[in-house]
Amino acid sequence: AVVSTQSTGVQMEDKIQLAKECTDHEKRLELYEEVLSKCRDISQLIRKGDKMDNVELMTDYFAYLRIKNTVDRFLAMAQQVADKLTGVVETRAGSKIARPEDLVRLYDIILQNYADMKDITSLDKDGDTYQMIDVNTLYYRTKRCFYIAECHLGQSNWLNAIVLYDKCTEHMEETTRAANALKSTNTQSIVEDLHVLSEQIYSQRCSAHASAFLQTQLVEEEMKEISSDKNKMLADSLEEFKLLKNVNDLPTIATLPPDFQPIPCKPTFFDISLNHIEFPDLGERVEKESSGLSSFTKWIWGR
């Protein structure tokens, strides 16, 4: 079992080296699949070898190699999608069109694999390898945030994109500090890539700001036109020709409800009080006026 494990391990190392040097994308993915298959085979051989020393340590080591090569495999896939988005690689006829959402999904898987890698019990929590895992986690979280912002930018959600670009800048600064604190040659490529990413963030953020401003201006102008047309009465625009695009563009004939107008208030209080007022009795006065009138008419007619 030991000889079989050693021979399988040598074959796996050769496959890993070939996968790193391979330039053909499909061939590289096939090599990574073979490496992962070798990792599973070795893990099974270790579990079957009861007389082997340091079984747990060897199991953790090959689990680390399996996760690391899984990450490299998804990074190769992410690189191909990124090349298609930037136009470095042409999309073949009939193949799936690359989208930023694909990169977000791939970076989610990569981050999950790094979380699984940190759970390996034999890994030194204070060693450079463990700290490098933290730096890579911050780095790919920054990349994931950037492509989420790209998704919102492609959907014309300008404000959401601007906020995410700002958040991506915060992640980038945190990743740069962690990479510089590690003082390792492995972090040099990460710092250089973050510098390129910062320029992309600045460019895309300016584009999102300009698009958001233009959208705001267009909406304000459209609202002004709509409000001015709808508030204008038909009687005030009889000499204007308007091409109606749909039924909702019909002009306003009258304002409903009508505007309030001041009117004199009815004296309700005095109407009620009138029912309770007692008027004086004028019966005697009415009789006198009627008797005087009859005598006057008699005098005219000679009676």
Side-chain angles (χ1 to χ4, degrees), residues 162-176:
I162 292 170
V163 173
L164 287 168
Y165 285 132
D166 292 339
K167 191 66 177 178
C168 186
T169 303
E170 296 177 5
H171 291 329
M172 184 179 59
E173 293 174 354
E174 183 181 359
T175 306
T176 304

Side-chain angles (χ1 to χ4, degrees), residues 171-238:
H171 291 329
M172 184 179 59
E173 293 174 354
E174 183 181 359
T175 306
T176 304
R177 289 194 298 268
N180 292 330
L182 189 57
K183 296 180 180 180
S184 174
T185 55
N186 297 327
T187 60
Q188 185 65 30
S189 60
I190 293 178
V191 174
E192 293 176 357
D193 189 67
L194 288 176
H195 180 70
V196 177
L197 183 63
S198 65
E199 296 178 354
Q200 295 179 359
I201 292 173
Y202 179 77
S203 174
Q204 296 295 81
R205 192 175 183 276
C206 291
S207 176
H209 264 294
S211 300
F213 178 77
L214 290 175
Q215 186 182 32
T216 304
Q217 296 296 321
L218 291 175
V219 169
E220 290 180 356
E221 292 178 0
E222 290 178 359
M223 292 302 297
K224 288 180 180 179
E225 292 178 359
I226 292 173
S227 60
S228 61
D229 291 341
K230 288 188 175 181
N231 293 332
K232 197 169 185 179
M233 306 299 296
L234 182 61
D236 299 332
S237 59
L238 294 176

